[in-house]
Amino acid sequence: MNETQTEADATPGPVLYVCTTCRRGEGASDNPPGQQLHDALAARAERVAVREVACLAACDRGCTAFLAQEGHWGWLLGNLGPEKASDILHYVDLYAASRTGTVMPSRRPASLSDMVLGRMPAAVISLKEPS
């Protein structure tokens, strides 16, 4: 941030919204897989805000998350799980470093080759809290 820029003016970093209601492949655990994914990401996240969301309406491709940052494309991601947390966070770092939020498939971790379900134009993404 430069000297004339205030904290309120700073562009927010990436935010990863994780569907915590996903029950894909649910086993004996009381925690749904989506909640497990959220918790694994939140425990390791350093440069991304990890937030819970009730449903991303991609249940057949769960676990799911939505990655957004102002000025970047937003990405709906699926086929995720807590075992992929480190790879997801690596992808988030690549996303944040990208000028537009596009990370070419060849640069993504191999475990995330089938994760992209859709994208949203940067023009419709605002992460600022309403005043």
Side-chain angles (χ1 to χ4, degrees):
M1 190 167 14
N2 67 39
E3 293 174 17
T4 60
Q5 192 176 31
T6 67
E7 211 172 300
D9 295 329
T11 301
V15 178
L16 188 61
Y17 297 91
V18 180
C19 175
T20 56
T21 57
C22 174
R23 298 199 174 279
R24 175 192 64 101
E26 188 171 18
S29 174
D30 289 336
N31 255 355
Q35 185 68 54
Q36 292 173 31
L37 173 61
H38 170 273
D39 295 349
L41 290 165
R44 298 177 185 157
E46 295 177 10
R47 293 175 290 281
V48 61
V50 179
R51 298 188 180 148
E52 295 183 22
V53 66
C55 183
L56 290 171
C59 301
D60 61 331
R61 300 287 297 274
C63 296
T64 57
F66 184 78
L67 180 58
Q69 182 174 342
E70 288 193 31
H72 284 57
W73 281 96
W75 296 90
L76 178 61
L77 310 174
N79 303 308
L80 306 175
E83 72 284 355
K84 296 180 181 180
S86 292
D87 286 348
I88 295 166
L89 293 173
H90 177 68
Y91 171 76
V92 170
D93 288 342
L94 294 171
Y95 169 86
S98 167
R99 186 176 58 79
T100 64
T102 299
V103 179
M104 298 309 293
S106 62
R107 296 196 61 214
R108 298 178 197 148
S111 73
L112 304 179
S113 64
D114 64 346
M115 72 173 180
V116 173
L117 304 182
R119 69 182 185 169
M120 179 179 290
V124 299
I125 296 174
S126 174
L127 300 176
K128 293 181 180 157
E129 295 294 324
S131 39

